[in-house]
Amino acid sequence: VGALLMVQGTSSDAGKTVLCAALCRWFADQGMRVAPFKGQNMALNAVALAGGGEIGWAQAMQAEAARVEPENAMNPVLLKPVSDTVCQVVVQGHPVGNITAREYLDYKQKALDGVLESLASLRRRFDVVVMEGAGSPAEVNLRDHDIVNMRLARAAGAPVLLAADIDRGGMFAYVAGTLALLNEEELACVRGVVVNRFRGDKERLLPGLQMLEERTGKPVVGVLPYLSDLSLPAEDSLGLQQPSVASGDLDVAVLRYPRISNFTDLHILSVEPGVQLRYVSGAAELGNPHVIILPGTKNTMADLAWLREKGLADMVTAAAEQGAFVVGICGGFQMLGTEISDPLGVDGAYGRTTGLGLLKAVTEFVPQKTTVRVRGKTMREGDLLEGYEIHLGRTRRQDAEPFARLQGEDGTEYEDGAVSTGGRVLGTYLHGLFDAASFRSAFLNRVRKAYSLPLSAAEGSSASAQREVSYVLLGNAVREHLDTAFLHSLIREQKRR
Amino acid sequence: VDRGGALAASVGTMLLLPPEDRARVAGFVFNKFRGDMSILQPGLAVVTERTGVPVLGVIPYQEGLRLAEEDGVALEQAKAGVRDGRLLQIRVVALPHISNFTDFDVFSGEEDVSLTYVTSVSELDGVDAVILPGTKNSMRDLAYLRERGLDRAMQNLVKGGTTVVGICGGYQLMGRTLEDPEGEESGGAATVQQGLDLLAVSTRFYPQKEVTRTAGTSLLPFAEGEPVSGYEIHMGQTRADSGIPAVIARQDGGTDGAVSACGNAWGTYLHGVFDAPGFRRAWLNVLRERRGWQPLGTAALQDRYTRFDQLADTVRAALDMDAVYRLTGLSGPKRGLR
């Protein structure tokens, strides 16, 4: 049976996701077969799997770091917020319905059984499972409902590393307080502390770490430096507040609606040389961008209404008339069409609404969810594409050219998306649209040409190649900065048992 | 609360404080809460039980509360400005020792302005105005401008008619000379440096620090008589050549600042000079005029002070004010006054 190692954090955004990816890569480098695991993930960024189904983006990324194929068992429960109080619940990769926060509390016990089942299945097939917790395990008011942190660690017998972000300050108090609020059994699960995102002089930190070890009786397993060169998108919407890394002459505005989803699609543009990517949530911020992107959404009709309310809808159509490039991905594509209808209320609200009308296409929501990995080529230029689709709606073109010819894993070919007559407005269901270097470079140069901006000569690298560079950095960081002998011993003691 | 771990952080902070400091902590305030209070309540009870310190309030998460951006992180984020042919392009030079950059926060409420912070000459293409902000060290930042070629770039911009404005340390940099006889800004050694020579003024540094609140009216031709107010914090004294027009007539009868012969370069010691909506709009309209754009009226901006009032109301409603009055030794407002 595979060994376990769990990472929990002292707060959200303590760097758990990246630390798990780092551990995945390091264990893989030791010749072990590694699976990432997060029992329950609340996220709007999801990835379609080979063979259908979807899991949270973070676990797919960690699987990539572990050099294994992502699968449903790695993220058995995925909660995708539809509104402030309602989530779509995805179990084992497939949606089981929308439920309210209150209803979910009752559902949790059942969910925990499923979570443990998935974990057991991974342990049968992998040498090590790197488990990720959620939020903080010290929310004592929520302890009874916990199925992702200590309750899971205890049920599965997983040793826990507690990750704390030192960059934000208060790290010592977070660690001491978290351990103080755990009960005895929970405390026994915690085997060590990992200090994350450290910048500064480590010598000066050492007395503090020693004090912490004395006070808590838990060893500090390592101090990971702040890794500024990582090219990994942030998992949750906190990451959306960060502006483009690069500054550039090509201005790309992304409409940041309240239910924005799969915005990991856009990370690759935020690090593309020559591109300035920015998120726009009000009419005053739109300006006069070269490209406007309408990303995915968990609730197309509600976010379209939001665009109208903010005055952004008219501004997008006006910008398109003046020649701006407009790209809609998934829900954004649905908005660009002439009409959207949801006769069964599967996307959140019943009814019918007119779209922005920039593409001659009509969307109808149906209860069947499409989750599929695809590859193909654009119709016009033959640029290579690769990615996945996750959506409820079906979109019919009416007198519009398709955007791409795609092929599913079973070999079926079909036409996807739509392009305006002038070619400057395009919509597609393909998530990861910009990940392939071929399409991204060709598209950006088309925009450059249209605006008489200097063309970019170099074709960039693919998003996965850029991520691979990050995984190497992470694996090295574990080797250099964590007590790897201790990590080995945590694995060995489970094998002996 | 928003980030999670707040209960642990509170308990842990108390655990790590020495007893004499722990005794000074009179209460917890939980901040940025969104959600159901009844779910949080049992957690708060545990914190008080473990620490003996009462929870004085839980303040809700307030969206869109725009006071001034306060730290360098916010400055980084503001860099991702808008590039747009229809917006006035204002660039603030991000001097290494930049200070008081809250001066420029007001522009974020102006619909026709894109303001970004720059560090290189290449970012000055197509600008309408460049602002040299305040600095904690004029002498070193002057060297920085030279290293990056920004000194010559700004001289060329002024020659070409582009507006360059200096505030406080930035104003000093725009002068002819900066003299530091006691080495106040230069690490002990007496120094004289040539400034950017955009204004006929010279600055001398003294150990005495000038800290005053200033109110007055604008003397600039495009905004004559517009009221301005703010404050001055600086070490140096700046003297203008005789006959050089000033920027501000102070209420105390003195004047401040200097304007170049062509009028498109000016500097002042007054932090907050752009806070006054009338003055700000008049200046922006000068930039619009140069582009051949119609002038705009004063933006109906929600005043920052109204926002402070809202903030105060929210906090008042969320906190145990009786406890706050007791702790501060103040008596609460008389009933009916508010």
Side-chain angles (χ1 to χ4, degrees), chain A residues 216-299:
Chain A
T216 64
K218 302 291 180 190
V220 174
V221 181
V223 178
L224 284 174
Y226 194 100
L227 297 167
S228 51
D229 300 334
L230 294 183
S231 178
L232 298 173
E235 185 198 7
D236 51 28
S237 54
L238 292 172
L240 284 174
Q241 280 142 34
Q242 281 147 22
S244 192
V245 177
S247 72
D249 53 356
L250 200 141
D251 184 16
V252 179
V254 179
L255 302 187
R256 188 206 188 300
Y257 10 83
R259 296 292 148 209
I260 183 171
S261 69
N262 285 73
F263 44 85
T264 45
D265 282 351
L266 306 163
H267 174 76
I268 189 75
L269 289 179
S270 76
V271 294
E272 176 78 11
V275 169
Q276 179 161 313
L277 183 86
R278 54 197 176 83
Y279 289 92
V280 170
S281 51
E285 298 160 34
L286 184 65
N288 201 5
H290 303 116
V291 182
I292 299 173
I293 298 180
L294 286 77
T297 158
K298 198 64 205 74
N299 193 328

Side-chain angles (χ1 to χ4, degrees), chain A residues 10-13 102 136 138-142 168 172-174 176-178 180-181 211-212 215 238 241-244 247-249 251 276-278 284-289 315 322, chain B residues 1-13 15-17 22 36 38-44 46-47 50 61 76-87 111 123:
Chain A
T10 56
S11 66
S12 298
D13 203 27
R102 285 246 161 251
S136 151
E139 310 296 10
V140 288
N141 50 323
L142 304 175
R168 191 168 287 123
F172 292 105
Y174 267 112
T178 302
L181 288 177
M211 178 276 299
L212 192 68
R215 297 285 293 243
L238 292 172
Q241 280 142 34
Q242 281 147 22
S244 192
S247 72
D249 53 356
D251 184 16
Q276 179 161 313
L277 183 86
R278 54 197 176 83
E285 298 160 34
L286 184 65
N288 201 5
M315 292 180 80
Q322 284 168 18
Chain B
V1 182
D2 194 47
R3 234 170 240 293
L7 306 177
S10 319
V11 170
T13 301
L15 273 176
L16 296 182
L17 287 178
R22 210 180 298 153
D36 184 345
S38 67
I39 294 177
L40 183 63
Q41 211 76 57
L44 302 181
V46 169
V47 169
R50 297 294 288 257
Y61 194 100
E76 282 296 313
Q77 293 182 357
K79 275 188 182 179
V82 183
R83 280 166 200 241
D84 181 345
R86 289 173 306 193
L87 297 179
E111 56 182 2
E123 295 167 279

Side-chain angles (χ1 to χ4, degrees), chain B residues 163-197:
Chain B
T163 296
V164 174
V165 176
I167 310 286
C168 195
Y171 168 41
Q172 297 171 342
L173 296 177
M174 287 173 73
R176 212 179 282 139
T177 56
L178 290 87
E179 203 179 331
D180 189 8
E182 319 255 337
E184 289 299 322
E185 295 245 328
S186 327
T191 320
V192 182
Q193 290 231 39
Q194 303 298 308
L196 301 187
D197 203 13

